[in-house]
Amino acid sequence: MAEREAREAGPSAGGLEEGRLMKELEAIHRTRHETLLHGSEDALLTHTRRMAELEREYVRRHPERAQTTGRTRSGARARTGTEEQG
């Protein structure tokens, strides 16, 4: 069963060359909404695990990736005018 699951999940993210990793990420993000709305529980769990694996690998390879200020907590607070209350 573990062998079948590995086949269905695809090759290990760590073993993918950069271009293939990007294609896998694009494909999984493109299919996420459809899987959420119409996939079985198993399909959603498999999709979630694979997406997390691919994203972790991307972040591992690109720790210094460009980050948009608006996509950070402080940037989002500045945009909405809300501040964390402690």
Side-chain angles (χ1 to χ4, degrees):
M1 177 127 162
E3 184 179 322
R4 190 184 103 232
E5 289 173 358
R7 264 196 325 271
E8 290 174 359
S12 168
L16 297 174
E17 58 91 12
E18 189 68 16
R20 176 78 189 274
L21 176 63
M22 294 307 295
K23 285 181 189 259
E24 291 272 338
L25 279 165
E26 290 167 5
I28 205 151
H29 286 124
R30 189 174 51 252
T31 60
R32 181 62 178 178
H33 191 72
E34 186 74 17
T35 304
L36 174 65
L37 295 178
H38 305 291
S40 67
E41 185 68 24
D42 284 343
L44 186 57
L45 289 172
T46 299
H47 199 276
T48 300
R49 280 193 291 268
R50 180 62 171 172
M51 187 170 61
E53 177 191 12
L54 293 167
E55 289 176 348
R56 276 191 307 271
E57 180 60 21
Y58 179 83
V59 170
R60 185 190 70 75
R61 291 182 190 188
H62 303 280
E64 302 299 322
R65 69 194 189 287
Q67 297 177 17
T68 304
T69 304
R71 301 297 298 175
T72 65
R73 221 176 254 198
S74 61
R77 283 192 200 103
R79 185 176 61 241
T80 62
T82 61
E83 292 188 25
E84 187 175 330
Q85 297 177 10

